[in-house]
Amino acid sequence: MPNYRIIILFFLCYFWVNSLLAQNTLPTLSANFRNTDFHTAIAFFEKNYPVSFSYDDDAVEGVRVTAVFRNFELPDAMKRLLKGTGLTFEIIDNQYILIKKLNAESQPMPPIPQFPNSPIPALALCGTILDAETNEPLPGATAYIKNTPHGTVTEADGKFKLEGSFTKDDSLIVSYLGYKQQAHLVRPLLVKKCQDYRLRVDVMNIPDVLIQDFATDMIKLADEGGFHFDKQKMPTLPGWGEPDVLRSLQLLPGISAADESGSRLNVRGGTPDQNLVLLDGIPIYHTGHFFGLYDAFNPFIVDEVDVWRGNFGAEYGGRNSSVIDIAAKQGYGKKTSGGIGMNLLSLQGYVDIPLKKDRVSLLIALRRSYIDGLQSTAYKSFFNQIFQNGKIALQEQAVNDSKFITWNPAISFGDANLKLRWKGKKTAENALSFYNTNDQLNYRFAFDDSTFFTETEDIIAASNFGMSWQHSAQWSPVFDIKYSAALSAYKNDYTFIWNEEDRLRPFIYRYTTNNSMGEFDLNLHHNWKISDRHRASFGYQLKVQEASIVFRDTNAVTLTGNLSTNDTVRTGLHTFYAEFAWQATQKLDLTLGIRENLFPERGLYYSEPRLGFNWFPFGKKADGSNFRLKGGLGRYWQFVFQIIDFGDLGVGEPLWALADENIPAQELWQTSFGLSMESKTALLDMEIYRKKNRNLTSLNLRLENSFDRGFNFDGESTATGFDFLLRKRWHRFSTWLAYSLGEVQTQFPELNGGKSFPARHDVRHRLNWVNTLSWKNWEFAANLNLRSGTPYSIPSVVQKPCPDCTADTFTYALAFDQLNTARLPGSVRLDLSATWKWKKRRNHGKVGLAVYNFTNRRNLLDKDYLLETPALDQPQTTYNLKELYRLAAGATPSIFVMTEW
C-alpha cells in the first residue's frame, strides 16, 4: 500500500512531461480563403486551432486575404496567408502569433553578441522606460541601436544603460511588448543622456490577460537563485482571495508555514526569526496580523517583491535563512489615483496624489479590521484555529454551563503607509516612507452571580513603526548609487489582570511583559560596471539596535511589586561589503562576495564569504529563455533571535532579543546546487541544499507546553532538502507545481540525552498544485495542498515530590524521555476561488468568492497533552491524561472586492 504515492507521482510526472512535449509541437493548419476579410480569417483559426493572434487594428484595416492550403505547419501557413498583404508575423511558443506591418522599424531587435575583448565604448546612453499613463517602470523593455549589435533590457526599476561604438547619426529604438515602440536620433540624446522614455499601450485585438502574459509573468528568476514577484501579475489566491504577499511566497518550494499561518515562514528548514523582511528598506519585526493569519502589508501598496531562499548577495545580512525585500508603489503619476477594497475581516484603501506632475507623488494607504468579535464565519473559523488548546478555548466550554459567565475575546488590527516620492536633479530619485502596524487582543473572562465575582483579563498589544529615506542616482553611465537610512521600532506588551470580590477595584494581581526592539540602519550602496564582463558593488552599513525585555508583577492588596527581569542590550554593528561579478566565459558567470562585520565596543569580528555561479551550457539567449546550472556557498551570521513563550494563553507574539557577551551570534553555512530552464510561458527550477546552523537557543524551540526547554545557546541544526518548481502557461490556463522534500534535525547537549531530534517544523513532504483559468471576465483558481505531518512528543506520567500537597507527599507530572518521536498524519487541503474582473475607462477592479479548505477536511496542526490531578488538599492517587488536538480551519468562505481608479 505505501507505494501508491510513488505511482501517483509517476503519473503526474508523465502527464506534465507529455503536456510540455505537446506544446513544443507546431500545429498544422488548413484553410480556404478567397478575398476574405482579415478579421474573419483570424477568427476562423482561433476557433478551430490552438493559436491566438495579436495585431494592431490600424495595421490590418482593409486587409483581405486569399489563401488555400491544407495541413501546412504554422510558419508556412502564415507565410501563405500574409503573402502580398504587406504584413509579417512572429510566432511565440508555437501558439501566439504577432501580426505586424512589414517595415524596417517593426523588425525584431537583433541578438546582442558578446565580445570577449571589446574596446571601451565610444558613446553611452542611459534612461528609464515608463508607462505613459501610470508612470510605472517597465522592467524587461528593450533599448537598442538600430542596425547594430548594441542593445540591452531594463532592470526592475525600468532603467537601462547602453554603450557601444555607435555614431551620433544612429537611431535609438525603445520598445516593450504590448506598447508602441519609439525611435529617437542619438545626437540630441547625448546632450542629456539619461532621459525618461514613456511608451503608450498599443491596443491589440487580444484579451488583456494575454497581453500581460506576453509582457511578463508573476514570477521571474532573479540573480543569485532568487525570485522576483510582480504584484500586478499575482493571481487571486485560491482560498484566500485578495493578494497576500507572504502567502503568495508559500507557493514557492522551500517556503512554508508549519503552523499554517500567513506570515510565520519557515524557509528551507529555518525559523521565522531567520527571515529578513524589508519594506522600502525598513526592517519589519511584526510581519503578520491576527497572530500571523494575514501578512501586515496592504495589498494595494505593494509593487514588487524580491525573495531569496538563501545564498543571497553580500548586500544583505543579519539573517540566516532568507531575504524578503518588498518595494511599495513606485513611479510618478499624472493624475490622482486610488483604490478601496474589503473582505469579511478588514477594509483597505489608498490614494496616490501627484503633487507635481511627473516629478512628485504622495501615497497614503490605510487598512483596518472592522469585525472585532465573533460575528463573521471567517473570523470564527480562523479564531478557532489560532486559539485551540489555550485557555481561551478551554474557558469557552464553561460558557454553556453557566449563564453567569462572560467570555469575550476581541481582536483588532490595522496598518498605515505614507510614501513621498520625488525626482531630484538629473537622474536622482528620492523617497520618504512611513509605516505603522498594530494588533491588539482583549480577552475578558468573568463569573458574576451577584454573590460572588471574579474576573481575569488578558491584553496583548503589538506594533511596529518604521520610516526610511531612499536615494538613488546615476552618477555616470557605468556608476550608480543607492543610499538609504531606516528606523524601525517594535513593541510587544502583554498584561494579565486578576480581580475578585470588589468590582470597583481595578485588580488584585497584575503581571506584565514588555518587549521592545529598536533599529537604525544606514546603507551606502554603489554599483560599478567596470567593463562588459566585470561588475562590482560595494558599500558600508551601520546598524544600531536596542532590545529590552521586562517582566514585572504587582499585588494591589499587599502593595508589593516585583521586577523579575530587566534585560536591555544595545549594539552597534559596522559592516563593509563587496561583491564582484565576472563573466569568465561566454557561458560562465561567477560572483564573489564578502561581508566584514565589526562590533567595536566588544572587539568582535565576523566574516561572511560568499560564492555563486551560473553556467549556461548552451549559451545565453537574447529573449531570456535559458538553461542554466547554478550553485552557491556562503557563511552567514545572525545577531537577533526570538523567544517563544505564550504561557497558558496558547497564543501571542514572540519576544525579540539580541546576542550579547553571554549569548553568541548564530552561524550558518549553506550550500546549494540546481538547474533552471525558463521561457516566455514555462519555468522549471530545481535545487538541492544543505544548511548547518550552530549557536541556536532552546528558547526558540516549539515544544510541548509542559516541557522545560531550559536556557541554552549551544544548539545545532542541519537542514537538507530538494525543491522543485514547474510553471507552465497556455492561452488562458496556467498551472504551477511546487514540491519540497526536506529534513530538519536539531541537537542540544542538554536535551533529549544529547541526541538529535526532528525540529517541530520538520515537514518532510509538501506539494502545492495551483491551476488558474481565465474565461472572459472570469478567473478561476484551485490549489491542492498536500503535506506530511509534523513531529510531536509522547510523554510518560511519573511521580514527583509535592511540598504543597496536604493529603499526600507526591503528585503526578509529565516526563518527556525522547523528543518528537511521533508524527501527526498528513494533511490534504483544496482551496478554490472565483473572481469576476472589470476594466472600464475610469476604473477597474474585481469581486470574488474564495473558499479555504473546500472539502472541510479535518487536518491536524498540533497535538499536546494535559494532565489533570486532584486538588492539593486531596489524595494524589489518580490522574487523567487528556490529548489536545489543534485543527486547521474547516471550510471557510470569504467574499472580497477591490476597485481602483
Side-chain angles (χ1 to χ4, degrees), residues 297-315:
F297 309 106
N298 190 320
F300 277 122
I301 64 101
V302 175
D303 196 32
E304 294 176 342
V305 183
D306 288 297
V307 56
W308 289 268
R309 298 170 298 177
N311 289 328
F312 35 89
E315 178 184 356

mmCIF file with all atom_site columns, all heavy atoms in Angstrom, residues 297-315:
data_model
loop_
_atom_site.group_PDB
_atom_site.id
_atom_site.type_symbol
_atom_site.label_atom_id
_atom_site.label_alt_id
_atom_site.label_comp_id
_atom_site.label_asym_id
_atom_site.label_entity_id
_atom_site.label_seq_id
_atom_site.pdbx_PDB_ins_code
_atom_site.Cartn_x
_atom_site.Cartn_y
_atom_site.Cartn_z
_atom_site.occupancy
_atom_site.B_iso_or_equiv
_atom_site.pdbx_formal_charge
_atom_site.auth_seq_id
_atom_site.auth_comp_id
_atom_site.auth_asym_id
_atom_site.auth_atom_id
_atom_site.pdbx_PDB_model_num
ATOM 1   N N   . PHE A 1 297 ? 1.004  43.764 5.270   1.00 0.00 ? 297 PHE A N   1
ATOM 2   C CA  . PHE A 1 297 ? 1.271  44.688 4.174   1.00 0.00 ? 297 PHE A CA  1
ATOM 3   C C   . PHE A 1 297 ? 0.012  44.882 3.334   1.00 0.00 ? 297 PHE A C   1
ATOM 4   O O   . PHE A 1 297 ? -0.539 43.920 2.797   1.00 0.00 ? 297 PHE A O   1
ATOM 5   C CB  . PHE A 1 297 ? 2.424  44.173 3.318   1.00 0.00 ? 297 PHE A CB  1
ATOM 6   C CG  . PHE A 1 297 ? 3.635  43.803 4.122   1.00 0.00 ? 297 PHE A CG  1
ATOM 7   C CD1 . PHE A 1 297 ? 3.975  42.479 4.327   1.00 0.00 ? 297 PHE A CD1 1
ATOM 8   C CD2 . PHE A 1 297 ? 4.406  44.793 4.707   1.00 0.00 ? 297 PHE A CD2 1
ATOM 9   C CE1 . PHE A 1 297 ? 5.077  42.134 5.081   1.00 0.00 ? 297 PHE A CE1 1
ATOM 10  C CE2 . PHE A 1 297 ? 5.513  44.461 5.470   1.00 0.00 ? 297 PHE A CE2 1
ATOM 11  C CZ  . PHE A 1 297 ? 5.847  43.127 5.659   1.00 0.00 ? 297 PHE A CZ  1
ATOM 12  N N   . ASN A 1 298 ? -0.434 46.124 3.254   1.00 0.00 ? 298 ASN A N   1
ATOM 13  C CA  . ASN A 1 298 ? -1.614 46.470 2.477   1.00 0.00 ? 298 ASN A CA  1
ATOM 14  C C   . ASN A 1 298 ? -1.417 46.017 1.029   1.00 0.00 ? 298 ASN A C   1
ATOM 15  O O   . ASN A 1 298 ? -0.454 46.410 0.373   1.00 0.00 ? 298 ASN A O   1
ATOM 16  C CB  . ASN A 1 298 ? -1.827 47.984 2.537   1.00 0.00 ? 298 ASN A CB  1
ATOM 17  C CG  . ASN A 1 298 ? -3.158 48.410 1.959   1.00 0.00 ? 298 ASN A CG  1
ATOM 18  O OD1 . ASN A 1 298 ? -3.619 47.896 0.943   1.00 0.00 ? 298 ASN A OD1 1
ATOM 19  N ND2 . ASN A 1 298 ? -3.789 49.384 2.609   1.00 0.00 ? 298 ASN A ND2 1
ATOM 20  N N   . PRO A 1 299 ? -2.317 45.183 0.486   1.00 0.00 ? 299 PRO A N   1
ATOM 21  C CA  . PRO A 1 299 ? -2.107 44.665 -0.876  1.00 0.00 ? 299 PRO A CA  1
ATOM 22  C C   . PRO A 1 299 ? -2.101 45.755 -1.943  1.00 0.00 ? 299 PRO A C   1
ATOM 23  O O   . PRO A 1 299 ? -1.552 45.545 -3.024  1.00 0.00 ? 299 PRO A O   1
ATOM 24  C CB  . PRO A 1 299 ? -3.287 43.704 -1.070  1.00 0.00 ? 299 PRO A CB  1
ATOM 25  C CG  . PRO A 1 299 ? -4.321 44.143 -0.086  1.00 0.00 ? 299 PRO A CG  1
ATOM 26  C CD  . PRO A 1 299 ? -3.562 44.663 1.088   1.00 0.00 ? 299 PRO A CD  1
ATOM 27  N N   . PHE A 1 300 ? -2.680 46.916 -1.667  1.00 0.00 ? 300 PHE A N   1
ATOM 28  C CA  . PHE A 1 300 ? -2.721 47.986 -2.660  1.00 0.00 ? 300 PHE A CA  1
ATOM 29  C C   . PHE A 1 300 ? -1.364 48.646 -2.873  1.00 0.00 ? 300 PHE A C   1
ATOM 30  O O   . PHE A 1 300 ? -1.064 49.139 -3.959  1.00 0.00 ? 300 PHE A O   1
ATOM 31  C CB  . PHE A 1 300 ? -3.726 49.060 -2.246  1.00 0.00 ? 300 PHE A CB  1
ATOM 32  C CG  . PHE A 1 300 ? -5.148 48.723 -2.613  1.00 0.00 ? 300 PHE A CG  1
ATOM 33  C CD1 . PHE A 1 300 ? -6.120 48.660 -1.639  1.00 0.00 ? 300 PHE A CD1 1
ATOM 34  C CD2 . PHE A 1 300 ? -5.512 48.487 -3.925  1.00 0.00 ? 300 PHE A CD2 1
ATOM 35  C CE1 . PHE A 1 300 ? -7.434 48.360 -1.963  1.00 0.00 ? 300 PHE A CE1 1
ATOM 36  C CE2 . PHE A 1 300 ? -6.818 48.190 -4.260  1.00 0.00 ? 300 PHE A CE2 1
ATOM 37  C CZ  . PHE A 1 300 ? -7.789 48.117 -3.276  1.00 0.00 ? 300 PHE A CZ  1
ATOM 38  N N   . ILE A 1 301 ? -0.542 48.690 -1.825  1.00 0.00 ? 301 ILE A N   1
ATOM 39  C CA  . ILE A 1 301 ? 0.682  49.499 -1.926  1.00 0.00 ? 301 ILE A CA  1
ATOM 40  C C   . ILE A 1 301 ? 1.897  48.681 -2.339  1.00 0.00 ? 301 ILE A C   1
ATOM 41  O O   . ILE A 1 301 ? 2.927  49.243 -2.710  1.00 0.00 ? 301 ILE A O   1
ATOM 42  C CB  . ILE A 1 301 ? 0.961  50.237 -0.593  1.00 0.00 ? 301 ILE A CB  1
ATOM 43  C CG1 . ILE A 1 301 ? 1.249  49.248 0.531   1.00 0.00 ? 301 ILE A CG1 1
ATOM 44  C CG2 . ILE A 1 301 ? -0.204 51.127 -0.221  1.00 0.00 ? 301 ILE A CG2 1
ATOM 45  C CD1 . ILE A 1 301 ? 2.679  49.070 0.873   1.00 0.00 ? 301 ILE A CD1 1
ATOM 46  N N   . VAL A 1 302 ? 1.812  47.358 -2.281  1.00 0.00 ? 302 VAL A N   1
ATOM 47  C CA  . VAL A 1 302 ? 2.953  46.523 -2.649  1.00 0.00 ? 302 VAL A CA  1
ATOM 48  C C   . VAL A 1 302 ? 3.119  46.547 -4.168  1.00 0.00 ? 302 VAL A C   1
ATOM 49  O O   . VAL A 1 302 ? 2.176  46.290 -4.917  1.00 0.00 ? 302 VAL A O   1
ATOM 50  C CB  . VAL A 1 302 ? 2.765  45.082 -2.158  1.00 0.00 ? 302 VAL A CB  1
ATOM 51  C CG1 . VAL A 1 302 ? 3.895  44.193 -2.661  1.00 0.00 ? 302 VAL A CG1 1
ATOM 52  C CG2 . VAL A 1 302 ? 2.717  45.054 -0.636  1.00 0.00 ? 302 VAL A CG2 1
ATOM 53  N N   . ASP A 1 303 ? 4.333  46.844 -4.611  1.00 0.00 ? 303 ASP A N   1
ATOM 54  C CA  . ASP A 1 303 ? 4.601  46.933 -6.039  1.00 0.00 ? 303 ASP A CA  1
ATOM 55  C C   . ASP A 1 303 ? 5.401  45.734 -6.533  1.00 0.00 ? 303 ASP A C   1
ATOM 56  O O   . ASP A 1 303 ? 5.021  45.077 -7.492  1.00 0.00 ? 303 ASP A O   1
ATOM 57  C CB  . ASP A 1 303 ? 5.356  48.233 -6.336  1.00 0.00 ? 303 ASP A CB  1
ATOM 58  C CG  . ASP A 1 303 ? 5.334  48.598 -7.811  1.00 0.00 ? 303 ASP A CG  1
ATOM 59  O OD1 . ASP A 1 303 ? 4.339  48.274 -8.474  1.00 0.00 ? 303 ASP A OD1 1
ATOM 60  O OD2 . ASP A 1 303 ? 6.299  49.194 -8.301  1.00 0.00 ? 303 ASP A OD2 1
ATOM 61  N N   . GLU A 1 304 ? 6.518  45.439 -5.877  1.00 0.00 ? 304 GLU A N   1
ATOM 62  C CA  . GLU A 1 304 ? 7.376  44.337 -6.279  1.00 0.00 ? 304 GLU A CA  1
ATOM 63  C C   . GLU A 1 304 ? 7.950  43.668 -5.038  1.00 0.00 ? 304 GLU A C   1
ATOM 64  O O   . GLU A 1 304 ? 8.088  44.293 -3.981  1.00 0.00 ? 304 GLU A O   1
ATOM 65  C CB  . GLU A 1 304 ? 8.527  44.824 -7.169  1.00 0.00 ? 304 GLU A CB  1
ATOM 66  C CG  . GLU A 1 304 ? 8.066  45.365 -8.520  1.00 0.00 ? 304 GLU A CG  1
ATOM 67  C CD  . GLU A 1 304 ? 9.221  45.931 -9.318  1.00 0.00 ? 304 GLU A CD  1
ATOM 68  O OE1 . GLU A 1 304 ? 10.272 46.220 -8.710  1.00 0.00 ? 304 GLU A OE1 1
ATOM 69  O OE2 . GLU A 1 304 ? 9.089  46.085 -10.540 1.00 0.00 ? 304 GLU A OE2 1
ATOM 70  N N   . VAL A 1 305 ? 8.289  42.386 -5.194  1.00 0.00 ? 305 VAL A N   1
ATOM 71  C CA  . VAL A 1 305 ? 8.872  41.615 -4.101  1.00 0.00 ? 305 VAL A CA  1
ATOM 72  C C   . VAL A 1 305 ? 10.028 40.793 -4.658  1.00 0.00 ? 305 VAL A C   1
ATOM 73  O O   . VAL A 1 305 ? 9.880  40.102 -5.672  1.00 0.00 ? 305 VAL A O   1
ATOM 74  C CB  . VAL A 1 305 ? 7.841  40.667 -3.454  1.00 0.00 ? 305 VAL A CB  1
ATOM 75  C CG1 . VAL A 1 305 ? 8.471  39.928 -2.276  1.00 0.00 ? 305 VAL A CG1 1
ATOM 76  C CG2 . VAL A 1 305 ? 6.605  41.420 -3.006  1.00 0.00 ? 305 VAL A CG2 1
ATOM 77  N N   . ASP A 1 306 ? 11.186 40.886 -4.018  1.00 0.00 ? 306 ASP A N   1
ATOM 78  C CA  . ASP A 1 306 ? 12.324 40.028 -4.328  1.00 0.00 ? 306 ASP A CA  1
ATOM 79  C C   . ASP A 1 306 ? 12.558 39.109 -3.141  1.00 0.00 ? 306 ASP A C   1
ATOM 80  O O   . ASP A 1 306 ? 12.635 39.577 -1.995  1.00 0.00 ? 306 ASP A O   1
ATOM 81  C CB  . ASP A 1 306 ? 13.576 40.857 -4.613  1.00 0.00 ? 306 ASP A CB  1
ATOM 82  C CG  . ASP A 1 306 ? 13.504 41.582 -5.942  1.00 0.00 ? 306 ASP A CG  1
ATOM 83  O OD1 . ASP A 1 306 ? 13.431 40.902 -6.978  1.00 0.00 ? 306 ASP A OD1 1
ATOM 84  O OD2 . ASP A 1 306 ? 13.491 42.831 -5.938  1.00 0.00 ? 306 ASP A OD2 1
ATOM 85  N N   . VAL A 1 307 ? 12.670 37.819 -3.409  1.00 0.00 ? 307 VAL A N   1
ATOM 86  C CA  . VAL A 1 307 ? 12.849 36.853 -2.322  1.00 0.00 ? 307 VAL A CA  1
ATOM 87  C C   . VAL A 1 307 ? 14.003 35.925 -2.668  1.00 0.00 ? 307 VAL A C   1
ATOM 88  O O   . VAL A 1 307 ? 14.149 35.472 -3.804  1.00 0.00 ? 307 VAL A O   1
ATOM 89  C CB  . VAL A 1 307 ? 11.551 36.044 -2.078  1.00 0.00 ? 307 VAL A CB  1
ATOM 90  C CG1 . VAL A 1 307 ? 11.080 35.340 -3.335  1.00 0.00 ? 307 VAL A CG1 1
ATOM 91  C CG2 . VAL A 1 307 ? 11.742 35.027 -0.966  1.00 0.00 ? 307 VAL A CG2 1
ATOM 92  N N   . TRP A 1 308 ? 14.861 35.710 -1.664  1.00 0.00 ? 308 TRP A N   1
ATOM 93  C CA  . TRP A 1 308 ? 15.951 34.749 -1.762  1.00 0.00 ? 308 TRP A CA  1
ATOM 94  C C   . TRP A 1 308 ? 15.762 33.708 -0.676  1.00 0.00 ? 308 TRP A C   1
ATOM 95  O O   . TRP A 1 308 ? 15.601 34.038 0.501   1.00 0.00 ? 308 TRP A O   1
ATOM 96  C CB  . TRP A 1 308 ? 17.303 35.425 -1.579  1.00 0.00 ? 308 TRP A CB  1
ATOM 97  C CG  . TRP A 1 308 ? 17.719 36.296 -2.722  1.00 0.00 ? 308 TRP A CG  1
ATOM 98  C CD1 . TRP A 1 308 ? 18.469 35.952 -3.804  1.00 0.00 ? 308 TRP A CD1 1
ATOM 99  C CD2 . TRP A 1 308 ? 17.423 37.688 -2.882  1.00 0.00 ? 308 TRP A CD2 1
ATOM 100 N NE1 . TRP A 1 308 ? 18.650 37.035 -4.642  1.00 0.00 ? 308 TRP A NE1 1
ATOM 101 C CE2 . TRP A 1 308 ? 18.014 38.116 -4.098  1.00 0.00 ? 308 TRP A CE2 1
ATOM 102 C CE3 . TRP A 1 308 ? 16.697 38.621 -2.143  1.00 0.00 ? 308 TRP A CE3 1
ATOM 103 C CZ2 . TRP A 1 308 ? 17.913 39.417 -4.569  1.00 0.00 ? 308 TRP A CZ2 1
ATOM 104 C CZ3 . TRP A 1 308 ? 16.591 39.915 -2.611  1.00 0.00 ? 308 TRP A CZ3 1
ATOM 105 C CH2 . TRP A 1 308 ? 17.203 40.308 -3.813  1.00 0.00 ? 308 TRP A CH2 1
ATOM 106 N N   . ARG A 1 309 ? 15.803 32.433 -1.039  1.00 0.00 ? 309 ARG A N   1
ATOM 107 C CA  . ARG A 1 309 ? 15.649 31.343 -0.071  1.00 0.00 ? 309 ARG A CA  1
ATOM 108 C C   . ARG A 1 309 ? 16.996 30.929 0.521   1.00 0.00 ? 309 ARG A C   1
ATOM 109 O O   . ARG A 1 309 ? 17.116 29.856 1.106   1.00 0.00 ? 309 ARG A O   1
ATOM 110 C CB  . ARG A 1 309 ? 15.000 30.137 -0.757  1.00 0.00 ? 309 ARG A CB  1
ATOM 111 C CG  . ARG A 1 309 ? 13.613 30.401 -1.291  1.00 0.00 ? 309 ARG A CG  1
ATOM 112 C CD  . ARG A 1 309 ? 13.129 29.264 -2.169  1.00 0.00 ? 309 ARG A CD  1
ATOM 113 N NE  . ARG A 1 309 ? 13.984 29.093 -3.345  1.00 0.00 ? 309 ARG A NE  1
ATOM 114 C CZ  . ARG A 1 309 ? 13.815 28.124 -4.244  1.00 0.00 ? 309 ARG A CZ  1
ATOM 115 N NH1 . ARG A 1 309 ? 12.830 27.247 -4.077  1.00 0.00 ? 309 ARG A NH1 1
ATOM 116 N NH2 . ARG A 1 309 ? 14.617 28.040 -5.285  1.00 0.00 ? 309 ARG A NH2 1
ATOM 117 N N   . GLY A 1 310 ? 17.973 31.785 0.416   1.00 0.00 ? 310 GLY A N   1
ATOM 118 C CA  . GLY A 1 310 ? 19.324 31.516 0.863   1.00 0.00 ? 310 GLY A CA  1
ATOM 119 C C   . GLY A 1 310 ? 20.297 31.950 -0.221  1.00 0.00 ? 310 GLY A C   1
ATOM 120 O O   . GLY A 1 310 ? 19.908 32.315 -1.326  1.00 0.00 ? 310 GLY A O   1
ATOM 121 N N   . ASN A 1 311 ? 21.591 31.921 0.117   1.00 0.00 ? 311 ASN A N   1
ATOM 122 C CA  . ASN A 1 311 ? 22.628 32.313 -0.837  1.00 0.00 ? 311 ASN A CA  1
ATOM 123 C C   . ASN A 1 311 ? 22.368 33.691 -1.437  1.00 0.00 ? 311 ASN A C   1
ATOM 124 O O   . ASN A 1 311 ? 22.559 33.918 -2.629  1.00 0.00 ? 311 ASN A O   1
ATOM 125 C CB  . ASN A 1 311 ? 22.756 31.270 -1.958  1.00 0.00 ? 311 ASN A CB  1
ATOM 126 C CG  . ASN A 1 311 ? 23.381 29.986 -1.479  1.00 0.00 ? 311 ASN A CG  1
ATOM 127 O OD1 . ASN A 1 311 ? 24.221 29.986 -0.576  1.00 0.00 ? 311 ASN A OD1 1
ATOM 128 N ND2 . ASN A 1 311 ? 22.964 28.874 -2.064  1.00 0.00 ? 311 ASN A ND2 1
ATOM 129 N N   . PHE A 1 312 ? 21.900 34.630 -0.600  1.00 0.00 ? 312 PHE A N   1
ATOM 130 C CA  . PHE A 1 312 ? 21.688 35.990 -1.078  1.00 0.00 ? 312 PHE A CA  1
ATOM 131 C C   . PHE A 1 312 ? 23.020 36.741 -1.105  1.00 0.00 ? 312 PHE A C   1
ATOM 132 O O   . PHE A 1 312 ? 24.014 36.318 -0.523  1.00 0.00 ? 312 PHE A O   1
ATOM 133 C CB  . PHE A 1 312 ? 20.663 36.735 -0.225  1.00 0.00 ? 312 PHE A CB  1
ATOM 134 C CG  . PHE A 1 312 ? 20.688 36.392 1.241   1.00 0.00 ? 312 PHE A CG  1
ATOM 135 C CD1 . PHE A 1 312 ? 21.504 37.072 2.122   1.00 0.00 ? 312 PHE A CD1 1
ATOM 136 C CD2 . PHE A 1 312 ? 19.878 35.379 1.737   1.00 0.00 ? 312 PHE A CD2 1
ATOM 137 C CE1 . PHE A 1 312 ? 21.523 36.769 3.466   1.00 0.00 ? 312 PHE A CE1 1
ATOM 138 C CE2 . PHE A 1 312 ? 19.883 35.060 3.086   1.00 0.00 ? 312 PHE A CE2 1
ATOM 139 C CZ  . PHE A 1 312 ? 20.714 35.751 3.957   1.00 0.00 ? 312 PHE A CZ  1
ATOM 140 N N   . GLY A 1 313 ? 23.022 37.863 -1.814  1.00 0.00 ? 313 GLY A N   1
ATOM 141 C CA  . GLY A 1 313 ? 24.244 38.599 -2.069  1.00 0.00 ? 313 GLY A CA  1
ATOM 142 C C   . GLY A 1 313 ? 24.816 39.272 -0.834  1.00 0.00 ? 313 GLY A C   1
ATOM 143 O O   . GLY A 1 313 ? 24.187 39.353 0.231   1.00 0.00 ? 313 GLY A O   1
ATOM 144 N N   . ALA A 1 314 ? 26.017 39.797 -0.994  1.00 0.00 ? 314 ALA A N   1
ATOM 145 C CA  . ALA A 1 314 ? 26.726 40.419 0.127   1.00 0.00 ? 314 ALA A CA  1
ATOM 146 C C   . ALA A 1 314 ? 26.052 41.693 0.606   1.00 0.00 ? 314 ALA A C   1
ATOM 147 O O   . ALA A 1 314 ? 26.341 42.173 1.707   1.00 0.00 ? 314 ALA A O   1
ATOM 148 C CB  . ALA A 1 314 ? 28.169 40.715 -0.273  1.00 0.00 ? 314 ALA A CB  1
ATOM 149 N N   . GLU A 1 315 ? 25.155 42.269 -0.189  1.00 0.00 ? 315 GLU A N   1
ATOM 150 C CA  . GLU A 1 315 ? 24.448 43.482 0.217   1.00 0.00 ? 315 GLU A CA  1
ATOM 151 C C   . GLU A 1 315 ? 23.543 43.229 1.419   1.00 0.00 ? 315 GLU A C   1
ATOM 152 O O   . GLU A 1 315 ? 23.270 44.133 2.204   1.00 0.00 ? 315 GLU A O   1
ATOM 153 C CB  . GLU A 1 315 ? 23.623 44.013 -0.955  1.00 0.00 ? 315 GLU A CB  1
ATOM 154 C CG  . GLU A 1 315 ? 22.810 45.246 -0.642  1.00 0.00 ? 315 GLU A CG  1
ATOM 155 C CD  . GLU A 1 315 ? 21.932 45.664 -1.804  1.00 0.00 ? 315 GLU A CD  1
ATOM 156 O OE1 . GLU A 1 315 ? 22.019 45.042 -2.882  1.00 0.00 ? 315 GLU A OE1 1
ATOM 157 O OE2 . GLU A 1 315 ? 21.141 46.621 -1.623  1.00 0.00 ? 315 GLU A OE2 1
#
